[in-house]
Amino acid sequence: MAATKVAAAKVVPLNCVAPEQVLALKEPTKGFLCPLSANIYGIDFTEFEVKDCDSGEVVFSIRKDPTGPAMPSAPLDLDPELEAQFRTIQYTFPASFLRFKTVRTALTFRVGPEPLSNFRMIERHYFKNKLTRSYDFNFGFVIPNSTNSWESIYDMPKLTEAQVREMVDCPYESRSDSFYFVNDELVMHNKAEYAFEL
Amino acid sequence: MGLLTIIKKVKQKEKEMRLLMVGLDNAGKTTIVKRINGEDTSTISPTLGFNIKTMQYKNFRLNIWDVGGQKTLRAYWRNYYEQTDGMIWVVDSSDLRRLDDCRAELHGLLKEEKLAGASLLIFANKQDITGALRPEQIAKVLQLDLMDGSRHWKIVGCSAVGGDGLLTGFDWIVSDIGTRIFMHE
């Protein structure tokens, strides 16, 4: 009987973070669940834009030089504090963002010479360490050496004026963890912190 | 009451449709998607991978997968067939030289088992260009009459740049998929 049990157990490598684990997270992680070096596919985000779906108002837009180096040259022996800074993006959005009904995000990324199967993004959003929203999107297959774009629309939670004020008054208490998986293996983990300005 | 909430949620999820846009390179796939979404179409470069776009269309949420049509990319199309409710095949009706190539690729796609149940919209694009073949002529050249009789399909002439025909095409494919998938509501 015991032998059958062992045989039935799924063999998972040590320190392996599964999508189900991050989907169960209830607060921001303390550190990063994978090292920078886990990104063996050279996944590189080159453009990101956030706008209001109804008015078209752009609240955030960044574009990297597409002819620049594929990966930002972060040394592998980065000081942990510096690494945390490097992997955490701080955004400042206008407070009007909190009143948008529907938000459109556009992301462009490229990958290296290896194909990616089952590429999936899970994003957990928190305010004051409480889970507010969670997104899960499966890109599926990614073609080697390709540049791809992903535009999505999200319905935003309806906030009361008191909630909007609280979020404005507490800059960077709005946080998110973005996890990227290839074949259920965590290859990237980034953090973001948000401030809202009146 | 709990059950009602669950049913409602399931239905909301069901209101999603996955559309696959394919065709030879330079057919106008990306331009069509941008145009239907009301975006600027003046600076569009060849798609070197995929463009995924979610948009609200009538009561449905469309997930459009526009995959590059260059020869080197076509071998990867099959990775995007899964769960496709409808495919939109875009033809450059003015590129007479490559219509044979276009027909071969389309008929290859139609043999795919994973796409067997998908509705097919053919956009005979670039009708604004002088010398472009009319949709009826494109249908003949592409031998659409050879298709399996059970396939739901329609060919629509359009101009991605001018916008003509795009709504006719999208209205048809969305309502065809809608009646096929969500008819039990």
Side-chain angles (χ1 to χ4, degrees):
Chain A
M1 283 305 274
T4 322
K5 252 187 185 169
V6 170
K10 208 172 157 191
V11 182
V12 283
L14 281 175
N15 300 325
C16 178
V17 179
E20 294 70 33
Q21 279 171 270
V22 306
L23 283 170
L25 291 170
K26 295 282 186 288
E27 58 178 61
T29 58
K30 294 281 181 288
F32 294 91
L33 302 189
C34 69
L36 280 172
S37 59
N39 182 8
I40 53 172
Y41 298 95
I43 302 160
D44 183 25
F45 299 113
T46 53
E47 286 177 51
F48 183 52
E49 189 180 78
V50 182
K51 64 180 177 188
D52 178 17
C53 220
D54 300 311
S55 71
E57 181 192 346
V58 176
V59 296
F60 183 81
S61 181
I62 190 165
R63 184 179 292 215
K64 265 205 258 179
D65 176 8
T67 58
M71 288 297 295
S73 43
L76 288 173
D77 55 348
L78 207 60
D79 171 70
E81 209 160 300
L82 269 178
E83 184 183 329
Q85 272 182 32
F86 179 76
R87 297 175 73 174
T88 307
I89 304 171
Q90 286 195 334
Y91 295 103
T92 302
F93 289 169
S96 59
F97 173 86
L98 297 169
R99 294 189 189 91
F100 292 166
K101 282 200 194 94
T102 315
V103 166
R104 177 174 286 281
T105 62
L107 181 70
T108 303
F109 65 93
R110 54 188 168 171
V111 300
E114 292 294 322
L116 277 64
S117 54
N118 200 13
F119 185 42
R120 177 176 178 186
M121 184 208 77
I122 297 173
E123 200 163 79
R124 308 284 281 178
H125 286 256
Y126 307 93
F127 179 60
K128 291 192 166 174
N129 295 338
K130 277 212 181 87
L131 185 70
T132 52
R133 286 172 290 148
S134 179
Y135 302 112
D136 187 350
F137 190 84
N138 206 328
F139 298 91
F141 183 84
V142 185
I143 299 169
N145 293 312
S146 63
T147 299
N148 309 281
S149 76
W150 175 44
E151 263 193 68
S152 195
I153 45 177
Y154 302 101
D155 293 324
M156 294 287 282
K158 177 128 184 58
L159 301 173
T160 63
E161 280 311 301
Q163 284 172 314
V164 169
R165 218 170 306 126
E166 196 186 358
M167 286 183 159
V168 171
D169 288 343
C170 305
Y172 307 121
E173 286 287 341
S174 300
R175 296 194 181 89
S176 65
D177 279 300
S178 306
F179 303 95
Y180 297 87
F181 294 88
V182 173
N183 255 342
D184 289 347
E185 234 171 89
L186 186 64
V187 294
M188 277 177 109
H189 175 194
N190 299 319
K191 285 174 170 288
E193 298 173 348
Y194 311 83
F196 304 99
E197 271 181 352
L198 284 174
Chain B
M1 189 174 149
L3 187 63
L4 197 66
T5 320
I6 292 167
I7 291 170
K8 215 174 157 191
K9 268 192 185 146
V10 169
K11 281 201 171 173
Q12 271 170 356
K13 181 118 183 98
E14 276 178 351
K15 289 281 191 184
E16 285 196 12
M17 289 181 187
R18 179 172 165 135
L19 299 179
L20 176 69
M21 304 264 308
V22 271
L24 303 189
D25 47 298
N26 201 41
K29 300 179 287 297
T30 306
T31 309
I32 287 174
V33 179
K34 290 216 170 198
R35 189 78 174 109
I36 199 99
N37 202 36
E39 292 168 58
D40 177 29
T41 55
S42 57
T43 53
I44 290 171
S45 41
T47 303
L48 303 174
F50 58 65
N51 298 313
I52 306 170
K53 197 186 288 276
T54 310
M55 65 170 90
Q56 205 68 36
Y57 192 85
K58 305 206 161 157
N59 286 321
F60 299 100
R61 186 162 282 210
L62 308 185
N63 284 313
I64 302 178
W65 294 66
D66 156 29
V67 188
Q70 293 181 13
K71 203 153 193 167
T72 49
L73 299 174
R74 292 178 210 162
Y76 296 108
W77 283 353
R78 58 183 175 80
N79 293 287
Y80 302 98
Y81 297 162
E82 206 91 45
Q83 291 175 310
T84 293
D85 298 306
M87 50 183 159
I88 302 179
W89 180 266
V90 185
V91 185
D92 176 348
S93 313
S94 70
D95 187 1
L96 309 184
R97 217 167 30 86
R98 291 206 296 165
L99 282 177
D100 285 337
D101 200 6
C102 180
R103 176 181 55 229
E105 292 286 358
L106 173 62
H107 284 274
L109 203 73
L110 293 171
K111 287 197 194 84
E112 294 289 341
E113 208 170 312
K114 283 177 184 163
L115 294 172
S119 307
L120 169 67
L121 168 67
I122 296 150
F123 266 137
N125 190 24
K126 309 200 188 182
Q127 290 297 317
D128 52 307
I129 292 179
T130 327
L133 294 189
R134 306 282 311 141
E136 315 81 70
Q137 295 171 300
I138 293 287
K140 204 169 265 178
V141 178
L142 296 184
Q143 299 179 336
L144 299 182
D145 54 327
L146 296 184
M147 263 190 291
D148 183 338
S150 65
R151 173 84 62 188
H152 291 206
W153 68 275
K154 189 180 176 71
I155 184 164
V156 174
C158 75
S159 159
V161 178
D164 311 275
L166 297 185
L167 287 177
T168 312
F170 271 86
D171 280 352
W172 175 79
I173 197 162
V174 167
S175 76
D176 187 71
I177 297 168
T179 44
R180 204 157 45 73
I181 299 181
F182 309 119
M183 60 194 284
H184 301 298
E185 281 188 34

